[in-house]
């Protein structure tokens, strides 16, 4: 078996075993696949934070099996393993979708939730949660333009797939919404975890004047951090508000990955889990999508709030993804 597998039980697992069959029967079983590292300061860590919150909330009523940090080639094997014996399987990331679509029909009594899933025809036991990253990427671009002193910003994405490309396009559109003359540099490394390539891409943008950077990366973010520290530029982080933890970061876009993991588990626990496509994004509130500027003016936040409202009403139109 090539992939790394780790088992996590709810905090009171030992108590559950000693309490007898009645309590054990009440525990809901959830399998979760976190393809990358749960400490990547990004998408995967946000997903893990949502899982940890659910474990704390439900205690011995929840039993969790987690697989993390696997190769794409092992995705189907991982999903199959999680589908055996779990009532709900959660795939953290759109990269799990193809494997879940293939494996889910073999387990019709198991529910599957995809965090970062797309709208489309899917097996009847799958829920696809659309993060709608392009919405908040537009807002992040606007914030970047207001925070940049050089009038130049950059974006580095991992895989060049529609949702990642659309988010990059909308980051650039948001920056130009504030400053039509801003310089915008966009690059894709082909790998969410490639530290060297993301550093190289960021350094190339810095050489052309970019002083605020945005990303959709996992461990590759470390390369962007290295470049920004070396050249005294700044980053708008993704997924979770960590303002105050690192001066390198001037803002964070919140994309609710952990919120969606918790949402799927809440639905299971309440007996209300349902398949189908569900959009999250700005319409679902600040836990699902928001911008946090670490040191902002009232004028800046008023402008960003108006942009968020205009996206929701359709006055500002953004791409899907």
């Amino acid at each position: 078996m090539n992939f790394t597998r780790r088992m996590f039980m709810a905090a009171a697992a030992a108590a559950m075993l000693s309490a007898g069959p009645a309590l054990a029967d009440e525990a809901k079983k959830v399998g979760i696949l976190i393809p990358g590292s749960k400490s990547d300061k990004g998408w995967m860590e946000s997903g893990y934070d949502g899982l940890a919150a659910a474990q704390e909330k439900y205690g011995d009523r929840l039993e969790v099996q987690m697989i993390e940090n696997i190769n794409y080639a092992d995705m189907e094997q991982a999903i199959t393993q999680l589908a055996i014996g779990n009532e709900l399987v959660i795939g953290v990331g759109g990269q799990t979708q193809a494997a879940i679509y293939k494996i889910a029909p073999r387990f019709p009594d198991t529910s599957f939730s995809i965090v970062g899933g797309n709208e489309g025809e899917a097996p009847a036991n799958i829920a696809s949660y659309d993060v709608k990253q392009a919405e908040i990427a537009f807002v992040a671009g606007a914030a970047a333009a207001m925070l940049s002193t050089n009038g130049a910003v950059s974006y580095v994405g991992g895989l060049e797939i529609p949702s990642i490309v659309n988010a990059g396009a909308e980051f650039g559109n948001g920056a130009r919404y504030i400053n039509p003359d801003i310089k915008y540099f966009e690059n894709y490394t082909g790998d969410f975890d490639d530290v060297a390539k993301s550093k190289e891409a960021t350094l190339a943008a810095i050489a052309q004047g970019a002083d605020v950077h945005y990303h959709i990366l996992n461990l590759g973010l470390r390369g962007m951090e290295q470049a920004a520290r070396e050249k005294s530029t700044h980053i708008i982080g993704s997924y979770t508000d960590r303002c105050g933890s690192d001066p390198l970061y001037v803002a964070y876009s919140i994309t609710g990955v952990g919120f969606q993991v918790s949402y799927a588990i809440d639905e299971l626990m309440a007996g209300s889990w349902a398949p189908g496509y569900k959009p999250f994004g700005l319409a679902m509130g600040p836990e699902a999508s928001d911008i946090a500027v670490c040191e902002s003016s009232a004028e800046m936040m008023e402008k960003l709030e108006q942009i968020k409202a205009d996206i929701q009403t359709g006055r500002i139109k953004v791409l899907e993804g």
Side-chain angles (χ1 to χ4, degrees), residues 62-263:
L62 177 65
E63 182 179 325
V64 175
Q65 178 186 2
M66 186 177 86
I67 297 173
E68 69 161 324
N69 227 1
I70 67 166
N71 297 320
Y72 290 110
D74 297 318
M75 204 82 73
E76 291 179 19
Q77 184 182 5
I79 294 296
T80 301
Q81 178 139 357
L82 291 172
I84 298 171
N86 288 304
E87 299 165 71
L88 171 66
V89 174
I90 303 172
V92 182
Q95 62 266 54
T96 68
Q97 181 166 293
I100 288 177
Y101 271 37
K102 184 173 181 180
I103 301 302
R106 292 171 44 194
F107 297 89
D109 296 328
T110 300
S111 301
F112 295 82
S113 289
I114 304 170
V115 175
N118 298 323
E119 187 172 13
E121 188 172 341
N125 55 338
I126 292 177
S128 293
Y129 302 153
D130 188 346
V131 179
K132 299 187 82 66
Q133 290 183 100
E135 288 186 347
I136 202 61
F138 186 101
V139 183
M146 288 188 273
L147 291 165
S148 173
T149 57
N150 291 352
V153 299
S154 72
Y155 168 81
V156 178
L159 292 178
E160 198 167 353
I161 57 179
S163 60
I164 309 303
V165 172
N166 288 354
E170 292 303 346
F171 177 76
N173 288 338
R176 286 185 288 266
Y177 185 83
I178 297 297
N179 177 5
D181 297 322
I182 199 164
K183 294 178 181 178
Y184 170 56
F185 307 101
E186 182 177 305
N187 207 311
Y188 298 89
T189 64
D191 188 328
F192 292 111
D193 297 316
D194 194 314
V195 174
K197 286 184 179 179
S198 63
K199 181 177 182 179
E200 180 182 353
T202 305
L203 286 172
I206 292 171
Q208 298 178 83
D211 60 353
V212 179
H213 320 293
Y214 189 59
H215 73 94
I216 295 184
L217 298 166
N218 295 333
L219 284 177
L221 175 59
R222 294 176 182 173
M224 178 176 280
E225 289 180 328
Q226 290 169 12
R229 287 191 202 283
E230 288 177 12
K231 301 298 182 179
S232 299
T233 58
H234 292 92
I235 298 172
I236 294 180
S238 295
Y239 316 118
T240 303
D241 177 4
R242 303 185 190 278
C243 278
S245 63
D246 188 340
L248 191 67
Y249 288 83
V250 290
Y252 292 88
S253 68
I254 298 160
T255 45
V257 176
F259 175 74
Q260 292 180 46
V261 170
S262 295
Y263 178 91

